[in-house]
Amino acid sequence: MKFTLHHSDPLSKARAGTITTDHGAIETPIFMPVGTVASVKGVHQRELKEDINPDIILGNTYHLYLRPKTQILEAAGGLHKFMNWDRNILTDSGGYQVYSLSANRKIKEEGVKFKSHIDGSYHVFTPENVMDIQRTIGADIIMAFDECTPYPCDYNYAKRSMHMTHRWLDRCMKRFADTPAKYGYEQTLFPIVQGSTYKDLRRQSAEYIANAGAEGNAIGGLSVGEPAEEMYGMTEVVCEILPEDKPRYLMGVGTPINILENIALGVDMFDCVMPTRNARNGMLFTAEGTINIKNKKWEDDFSPIDEMGITFVDTYYSKAYLRHLFAANEYLGKQIATIHNLGFYLWLVREARKHILAGDFLQWKNTMVKQMDKRL
């Protein structure tokens, strides 16, 4: 993997770069649609590629390991071939899913024993087998196995957990170095900074991760319910330490406003289920603010979903029609809303990139944040 930094914004820490892997170029800043179970929920790969057009999507190690299982993915020739996606894929480590299963898992130094949410069977994730699983899934970028702490989190627990994440990283890196890439293309490992919302722990973790010398770095544990200001504070601390010549990935974040504020702090890569999950509940993100399409006010509004026309659905369908689909519980409504939201998120990071390259990002960002904060 290669990272080229093209331009840094003079008035903020925002940067425009390009990550190049064997599956092509990723222009940053980038938003990665979440394809949890080898599918971005409700979207055909054809629409994903032609209308939403991301350079990279995200797959979920925990879910893919349980279903369809790694042996099926291996027989298919890896996740790219299985789901017919010829661009980049990043897989998370499963650490977040294990965190969210708090009632059904046990964390020890060796790894994590957990119960499948599908059939109740028991499984173990260790730093070593999580590397093997992600190698077999076939992602271009794979994540180190970490423990994601909850919010709020006791300082001593956060500290113990962070040190264990660092020890797990050493084991991940050893296993990764000792195993070959699969399917004929290179794979890259990103470590993850932890430390909850404690500045001293975040600094310590960022230094440990920076010294690991990986080709890219991630910031974890910051989309777990903490106030946005805490998230920005931690991101700022970490971005000051993580090397400038490597991409920085903020995991699981967030709203369009969160994304712009974190780009301004020096983050290059994002993922979040929000555009797809909120779409299925009738919330549309636009440059002018958010729309709850279920509201009665849209019942006889025959204007396009979004005049900007970022994806084909925006001008093909009216707000009144989309509201009707939601009222009738017709699945097409959820699909239309999903394509719109993902298209908007990708438009947003690409506009950010244009303004970083033009040198007026901060002014544009401040205007956009005000506009997008409205309820329409």
Side-chain angles (χ1 to χ4, degrees):
M1 190 193 91
K2 187 178 165 220
F3 179 58
T4 310
L5 194 55
H6 302 300
H7 194 68
S8 296
D9 180 55
L11 299 174
S12 73
K13 299 280 170 59
R15 330 122 40 95
T18 305
I19 298 167
T20 311
T21 77
D22 289 345
H23 277 106
I26 304 161
E27 294 196 330
T28 64
I30 186 66
F31 177 81
M32 303 180 277
V34 176
T36 305
V37 291
S39 149
V40 175
K41 211 180 277 278
V43 181
H44 287 282
Q45 270 73 305
R46 182 174 163 180
E47 294 162 334
L48 190 61
K49 196 169 172 178
E50 294 176 12
D51 300 307
I52 297 157
N53 192 25
D55 299 329
I56 178 170
I57 61 170
L58 185 138
N60 190 287
T61 296
Y62 165 84
H63 288 283
L64 293 168
Y65 162 79
L66 291 175
R67 189 169 53 193
K69 297 191 169 69
T70 46
Q71 56 266 42
I72 298 292
L73 292 170
E74 189 152 31
L79 182 56
H80 289 87
K81 285 192 173 155
F82 184 62
M83 68 182 288
N84 197 15
W85 178 254
D86 61 1
R87 297 183 188 176
N88 288 284
I89 298 175
L90 178 148
T91 42
D92 65 8
S93 69
Y96 180 80
Q97 278 63 42
V98 166
Y99 144 79
S100 60
L101 290 169
S102 55
N104 291 316
R105 52 105 165 117
K106 239 186 198 117
I107 301 173
K108 291 183 175 168
E109 186 66 35
E110 177 53 26
V112 180
K113 185 179 181 184
F114 63 92
K115 202 166 147 183
S116 162
H117 72 288
I118 299 165
D119 61 8
S121 57
Y122 279 99
H123 304 266
V124 175
F125 273 179
T126 67
E128 290 78 13
N129 75 3
V130 165
M131 293 300 95
D132 299 345
I133 291 163
Q134 289 183 86
R135 284 279 202 204
T136 302
I137 291 170
D140 301 274
I141 300 172
I142 78 179
M143 305 307 297
F145 191 48
D146 64 328
E147 187 196 352
C148 178
T149 50
Y151 178 86
C153 180
D154 171 73
Y155 180 85
N156 289 326
Y157 184 93
K159 188 176 178 179
R160 279 198 308 274
S161 170
M162 176 195 76
H163 284 303
M164 186 170 69
T165 287
H166 295 168
R167 291 191 297 274
W168 283 0
L169 171 62
D170 296 342
R171 288 165 57 190
C172 286
M173 291 185 81
K174 184 178 185 317
R175 183 60 153 237
F176 188 75
D178 291 348
T179 52
K182 291 199 174 187
Y183 315 120
Y185 52 86
E186 281 305 308
Q187 295 175 301
T188 301
L189 173 65
F190 280 25
I192 303 171
V193 175
Q194 287 291 349
S196 187
T197 50
Y198 300 104
K199 278 191 179 178
D200 62 321
L201 297 183
R202 283 284 172 182
R203 275 195 199 97
Q204 211 178 323
S205 189
E207 280 162 8
Y208 195 93
I209 268 58
N211 288 333
E215 291 179 86
N217 299 296
I219 307 166
L222 284 181
S223 50
V224 292
E226 76 286 346
E229 292 315 312
E230 295 240 28
M231 178 207 297
Y232 303 146
M234 295 304 111
T235 301
E236 188 171 19
V237 164
V238 171
C239 285
E240 280 168 6
I241 296 166
L242 291 181
E244 274 188 28
D245 60 345
K246 310 280 176 70
R248 302 172 186 142
Y249 162 33
L250 181 57
M251 304 178 76
V253 174
T255 67
I257 291 172
N258 292 157
I259 287 174
L260 289 191
E261 295 293 6
N262 282 296
I263 288 173
L265 295 170
V267 175
D268 308 295
M269 302 167 73
F270 301 87
D271 80 283
C272 191
V273 296
M274 189 172 273
T276 46
R277 182 179 287 164
N278 287 27
R280 296 194 299 276
N281 294 317
M283 181 189 264
L284 308 182
F285 296 103
T286 78
E288 304 300 322
T290 53
I291 293 173
N292 180 353
I293 203 67
K294 293 176 177 179
N295 286 349
K296 192 169 170 61
K297 69 185 282 189
W298 310 114
E299 188 176 36
D300 59 355
D301 186 331
F302 303 107
S303 67
I305 292 168
D306 189 346
E307 300 278 1
M308 281 172 64
I310 295 161
T311 63
F312 78 94
V313 298
D314 296 342
T315 50
Y316 201 92
Y317 303 106
S318 70
K319 294 184 183 82
Y321 178 64
L322 185 55
R323 183 191 181 274
H324 154 71
L325 294 178
F326 271 92
N329 201 23
E330 167 53 55
Y331 202 84
L332 179 61
K334 296 177 181 186
Q335 289 179 298
I336 291 169
T338 299
I339 292 168
H340 162 80
N341 276 355
L342 287 173
F344 175 72
Y345 266 61
L346 267 299
W347 172 85
L348 188 68
V349 292
R350 290 192 170 129
E351 279 300 295
R353 179 184 170 87
K354 279 184 202 163
H355 287 280
I356 294 165
L357 292 170
D360 64 353
F361 168 78
L362 192 66
Q363 188 185 344
W364 172 80
K365 186 268 291 181
N366 290 340
T367 305
M368 284 299 293
V369 164
K370 271 196 198 106
Q371 282 176 203
M372 293 190 302
D373 207 21
K374 295 175 192 154
R375 293 278 168 140
L376 300 177

